[in-house]
Amino acid sequence: EPSKIESWSAMDYGPSLTHTYEVPGGSHNFAYKGIAVRLDPGAGGVSRGKHWMVFDTDTLRVAAAWSASGQGPNFIDWRGIQFNGEHQIHPRIAGSIAYANSSGPGWANPTSHSFVDDQRVEGRDGLRYGPLPREWGKFRGLYHHGQQVVLSYSIGNTDVLESPRVMIDDEPSAAPAFLRTFNIGPRDRELVLQVAEHPGAANAVVDLAKIRCVASESVSSLDAGFAPHNTPAIWAAEDGRLRLKIPAGTEPLKFTVWTATDANDASKLIVEDADSDLTSLIQGGPPRWPQQLETRAAIGPDDGPFAIDVLTAPESNPWLAQTRFTGLDFFPDGRIAVCSWDGDVWIVADSAGPPDTTVPGALRWQRIATGLFQPLGLKIVDDKIHLICRDQLVVLHDLNGDGETDFYECLNNDHQVTEHFHEFAMGLQTDAEGNFYYAKSGRHALEAVVPHHGTLLRVSRDGSQTDIIATGFRAANGVCLNPDGSFVVTDQEGFWNPKNRINWVTLDPSGKPKFYGNMFGYTDVTDSSDSAMEPPLCWMTNEFDRSPAELLWVTSDRWGPLSGSLLNLSYGYGKVFVVPHERVNGVMQGGMIQLPLPPLPTGVMRGRFRPTDGQLYLCGMFAWAGSATHPGGLYRLRVTDQPIRLPVELNAVKSGLQLTFTAPLDPTSLDPKRVQIKTWSLKRTANYGSKHYDEQPLEVSIANLSADGKTLTLDVDGLRPTWCMEINYELRAADGTPVVGVIHNTIHELADDPR
């Protein structure tokens, strides 16, 4: 029968897909950082499987093993912002669950041998979040070898490799056996593994004589065993939970633990396991995506100061992969690494020559990684691709030189994640010492639960430490690192955010994080007055930019008069803005003006200047509210030979305003009536957004021009500090060309009049 093709469920995500998954049948059982692994062979990736297991990297446990039921959706229900676009919901496992483990550690504390002294962060809801303490256990990464997956982690000081599999009898009605193969290093103490609970087995009974977990008469029993049979391990049971004790020893162990809902079927399948050595699977495997896809770039016209070249994405590809791009960076040779919202990483190569050439027509795309959890920032460090995902800061490694990722190294997974859809990890930058920075969103319309909600975070170069350096954000879409060590972070209109804002973030000498306004963020600030927050550089209306993304500095000399300027990217409208700014009496203030180019069809998320040609490359997507709705795109924003006529400086003084342009103006066009200014105020409350209050025009009485024709001085009657200002101007350049624009800006302080 004809069926509706849904892009999110049709996509081949590779053998595993990391997300937050709810396990039905239990009490608030979530794999917050769950790696769902397809266990049966076959094409199409994890979504086309029939048997799965999900491993939670926070707790180092198998949260569930399940099979397709043949009724309704299988694998997951595909509900959530990344998939069918739903808000306030999360994906849920769909199918027939063989067994599950409720939320909590997958291994006992190696020091106390206790499972109940869960030392993870306690949220304000009383639940535990984030990873286990490093001395208890640490997730190290994920290996892909063909369709097989190997998990790497440590328990105490013992290294563990684990690979999930399934064995299926030829009889169609036979129950599958779910396998976990372990390679465990030397142990200076006993280790205890949580193996299984029966789904919904609140009162389960474990019969160790048969190695069986029985939930009730209405639910079949769950049987277990291990191979080889001479493995030095002992079964144990506690509170209806089946566990395996592994004694201390200097010799490594290689064994497989199996579980099945029918021991008779399982006994046919489980023999002395011949595939228990996992080392061959962690050296690099055969290519999974050997096709290099070719597209043709579309070169934009040069009839204005900027041209847009479209680096056409392979939207039609063998894996039905969505190309909603969320981060990019460049290798020294000019190749582009770009990640997608749906968990892919691509390498884009072209034959770009000297810096003055345009993008060539031919582009080669190679898919090198899959299954990542909503990557929203990418940075190449020491020729290695680093990505910030919702679950971790991950480094990609090609172990055998075939161009594909074999090992997804977890450099850091400190940040806490709940099931809420809105907790994006956004942007990725590094400083001169190699520290990493990214922003962690809070919950939508709900108060924060964990300390990382609504924060700017710093991760040490070696990944060993995470620090909160600013709080009070709602949805900070990216981070800009300034030359002086401060930051620029955008935020979105919402609760306690009356409008969109650009924040100039500085560090308090005392080390205490400064607060940037969102009372729903995780903060100890109880004063909701405006004076208790750090003021933004500027507020902006939805009409001007409904959803600001990341900012970046113009580091290319090819951009001429804009070199050294600050740019803001717009997810909401697909635009790019110049951000003139100043510091007055210790306070940062400024505004925005759009570059003279048509909006891109895609919301713009990230940008980087390419070393080989000095031009700005942009990537973007459409996934949540925005007006630029093409699914995704990769672009080059190129400066042409045409003159640029934009204000790059905006200064507020007691007598009025000073605008400095990149090119001389015509003094005969300086009629004060050609500049219209209005101001208004906002109210910051727990409600969503704010209407405009006290809107009024301001009269420009005198307009003067500097000797070089670039600085326009406006005497403005009644000028005073204001959260919101709009400046409309219709002037002419010295050569008679119209110079027309709109600035939105904020004034916190008025400097002394220089005259």
Side-chain angles (χ1 to χ4, degrees):
E1 290 293 324
S3 61
K4 182 180 180 180
I5 299 298
E6 297 174 331
S7 56
W8 50 89
S9 59
M11 178 173 167
D12 181 347
Y13 294 94
S16 65
L17 176 62
T18 304
H19 212 284
T20 295
Y21 301 103
E22 182 179 3
V23 180
S27 175
H28 200 87
N29 189 0
F30 286 90
Y32 294 114
K33 301 175 185 174
I35 302 175
V37 181
R38 176 179 174 174
L39 306 180
D40 54 308
V46 65
S47 65
R48 291 290 185 270
K50 294 184 178 179
H51 306 279
W52 304 272
M53 197 178 288
V54 59
F55 182 86
D56 179 23
T57 61
D58 268 345
T59 56
L60 304 179
R61 69 182 165 117
V62 167
W66 73 104
S67 300
S69 65
Q71 300 177 355
N74 285 300
F75 178 47
I76 57 176
D77 62 8
W78 298 107
R79 301 184 67 184
I81 189 170
Q82 181 184 332
F83 302 128
N84 68 353
E86 281 189 88
H87 289 39
Q88 306 288 14
I89 196 69
H90 45 265
R92 199 169 191 255
I93 286 175
S96 177
I97 297 178
Y99 72 91
N101 287 301
S102 57
S103 183
W107 294 76
N109 186 321
T111 301
S112 67
H113 299 136
S114 170
F115 284 87
V116 297
D117 62 336
D118 192 339
Q119 299 171 13
R120 295 178 298 142
V121 170
E122 182 175 357
R124 288 176 170 172
D125 57 0
L127 301 175
R128 296 285 180 174
Y129 297 98
L132 294 168
R134 287 187 176 88
E135 60 272 16
W136 184 326
K138 176 175 171 49
F139 180 67
R140 298 192 181 280
L142 168 73
Y143 292 90
H144 278 174
H145 188 285
Q147 295 188 23
Q148 292 181 276
V149 170
V150 178
L151 306 160
S152 173
Y153 55 94
S154 60
I155 301 298
N157 56 10
T158 299
D159 294 330
V160 179
L161 293 177
E162 174 181 348
S163 184
R165 291 185 292 148
V166 69
M167 282 191 173
I168 308 169
D169 200 327
D170 293 334
E171 292 291 333
S173 60
F178 291 92
L179 280 62
R180 299 172 65 185
T181 296
F182 292 94
N183 287 187
I184 298 179
R187 304 153 307 285
D188 61 359
R189 65 196 71 186
E190 180 184 69
L191 303 179
V192 185
L193 169 68
Q194 168 68 31
V195 175
E197 303 168 13
H198 210 288
N203 300 308
V205 175
V206 176
D207 182 358
L208 288 181
K210 298 180 179 180
I211 318 300
R212 174 173 292 181
C213 179
V214 181
S216 67
E217 294 298 325
S218 61
V219 180
S220 60
S221 63
L222 179 71
D223 299 279
F226 57 77
H229 297 304
N230 61 353
T231 300
I234 302 171
W235 289 106
E238 183 178 355
D239 299 328
R241 295 173 172 87
L242 182 62
R243 290 166 177 162
L244 190 67
K245 293 184 176 181
I246 303 164
T250 58
E251 293 297 320
L253 293 180
K254 298 176 182 179
F255 63 95
T256 296
V257 175
W258 60 266
T259 53
T261 55
D262 190 321
N264 292 325
D265 290 334
S267 64
K268 302 175 186 177
L269 302 174
I270 307 302
V271 294
E272 294 296 303
D273 194 87
D275 299 318
S276 59
D277 188 351
L278 301 177
T279 56
S280 64
L281 302 180
I282 62 173
Q283 311 299 322
R288 297 178 293 280
W289 316 287
Q291 305 95 321
Q292 287 197 7
L293 308 181
E294 186 171 300
T295 64
R296 302 294 298 179
I299 308 304
D302 293 351
D303 53 357
F306 300 95
I308 299 173
D309 304 324
V310 179
L311 281 65
T312 308
E315 295 181 356
S316 177
N317 58 75
W319 314 285
L320 305 179
Q322 300 189 75
T323 53
R324 301 186 286 181
F325 298 131
T326 53
L328 81 161
D329 203 0
F330 297 96
F331 289 100
D333 62 6
R335 288 177 302 140
I336 312 171
V338 58
C339 62
S340 77
W341 166 243
D342 299 283
D344 285 352
V345 179
W346 300 77
I347 300 295
V348 189
D350 58 33
S351 55
D356 58 347
T357 62
T358 60
V359 175
L363 302 166
R364 295 188 310 278
W365 296 73
Q366 182 180 7
R367 194 187 199 204
I368 69 161
T370 60
L372 295 161
F373 192 177
Q374 298 176 0
L376 286 164
L378 185 153
K379 181 74 174 175
I380 295 175
V381 180
D382 297 331
D383 285 341
K384 297 291 186 183
I385 297 173
H386 294 61
L387 301 113
I388 190 64
C389 303
R390 180 163 158 153
D391 62 323
Q392 63 177 328
L393 173 57
V394 61
V395 189
L396 305 187
H397 296 271
D398 174 12
L399 301 178
N400 58 5
D402 64 0
E404 295 187 4
T405 299
D406 304 296
F407 181 45
Y408 301 73
E409 178 193 2
C410 175
L411 184 63
N412 179 280
N413 67 339
D414 286 346
H415 59 243
Q416 305 110 17
V417 173
T418 80
E419 73 276 13
H420 194 271
F421 80 100
H422 197 253
E423 298 173 28
F424 313 116
M426 292 184 154
L428 187 62
Q429 306 292 350
T430 54
D431 63 17
E433 286 74 41
N435 299 306
F436 297 90
Y437 299 88
Y438 66 96
K440 191 76 174 65
S441 294
R443 304 200 299 169
H444 175 73
L446 296 171
E447 293 185 356
V449 168
V450 293
H452 288 170
H453 277 159
T455 57
L456 177 60
L457 298 174
R458 176 179 59 216
V459 176
S460 60
R461 180 173 185 165
D462 63 359
S464 63
Q465 182 174 338
T466 299
D467 297 305
I468 298 172
I469 60 175
T471 67
F473 303 110
R474 179 180 173 269
N477 191 356
V479 179
C480 174
L481 180 60
N482 300 326
D484 65 356
S486 60
F487 306 86
V488 188
V489 179
T490 61
D491 210 352
Q492 317 295 317
E493 178 192 28
F495 307 91
W496 293 108
N497 266 3
K499 292 295 174 187
N500 302 304
R501 55 186 285 170
I502 296 177
N503 301 290
W504 193 282
V505 178
T506 58
L507 305 183
D508 192 297
S510 69
K512 181 178 180 180
K514 293 184 178 180
F515 173 67
Y516 288 84
N518 178 22
M519 300 297 293
F520 281 176
Y522 198 98
T523 177
D524 57 3
V525 175
T526 58
D527 182 358
S528 62
S529 66
D530 298 336
S531 61
M533 71 169 182
E534 297 295 317
L537 183 141
C538 73
W539 299 96
M540 68 193 82
T541 66
N542 301 59
E543 293 77 13
F544 199 70
D545 184 9
R546 64 177 291 181
S547 184
E550 195 166 74
L551 291 96
L552 75 161
W553 293 93
V554 179
T555 56
S556 170
D557 292 338
R558 294 213 69 204
W559 275 50
L562 291 184
S563 181
S565 296
L566 183 62
L567 303 180
N568 185 43
L569 309 178
S570 168
Y571 168 81
Y573 290 136
K575 298 179 179 180
V576 180
F577 300 88
V578 176
V579 183
H581 55 277
E582 63 174 341
R583 184 185 299 275
V584 181
N585 299 331
V587 180
M588 294 299 300
Q589 59 191 28
M592 297 168 53
I593 183 168
Q594 182 185 343
L595 293 187
L597 51 90
L600 295 168
T602 303
V604 182
M605 293 286 288
R606 308 286 178 256
R608 305 272 191 197
F609 281 90
R610 189 178 189 180
T612 54
D613 65 3
Q615 303 290 9
L616 176 59
Y617 287 68
L618 305 168
C619 70
M621 66 159 184
F622 174 72
W624 49 78
S627 299
T629 58
H630 188 77
L634 181 63
Y635 311 95
R636 176 168 108 153
L637 181 53
R638 178 167 43 89
V639 172
T640 71
D641 294 333
Q642 303 295 319
I644 299 172
R645 301 180 179 92
L646 285 170
V648 288
E649 293 183 28
L650 171 61
N651 303 107
V653 298
K654 292 178 179 178
S655 62
L657 301 172
Q658 294 177 339
L659 292 172
T660 301
F661 288 76
T662 56
L665 299 174
D666 177 4
T668 65
S669 68
L670 299 188
D671 183 349
K673 294 181 180 180
R674 291 180 175 269
V675 182
Q676 288 85 41
I677 300 176
K678 64 178 180 180
T679 63
W680 62 94
S681 59
L682 306 169
K683 289 185 179 179
R684 178 173 155 268
T685 70
N687 297 323
Y688 193 102
S690 170
K691 65 180 183 180
H692 294 192
Y693 295 91
D694 308 317
E695 186 169 316
Q696 60 178 331
L698 297 181
E699 182 179 353
V700 178
S701 56
I702 301 174
N704 290 311
L705 199 59
S706 62
D708 63 1
K710 292 184 178 181
T711 300
L712 175 64
T713 300
L714 304 172
D715 283 11
V716 182
D717 297 340
L719 182 66
R720 59 178 60 89
T722 179
W723 272 15
C724 302
M725 172 179 284
E726 180 179 278
I727 307 169
N728 275 274
Y729 58 86
E730 297 181 14
L731 307 169
R732 289 193 306 272
D735 63 2
T737 305
V739 178
V740 179
V742 180
I743 300 172
H744 274 213
N745 64 294
T746 293
I747 300 175
H748 298 299
E749 298 279 343
L750 296 174
D752 291 335
D753 200 318
R755 290 177 288 185

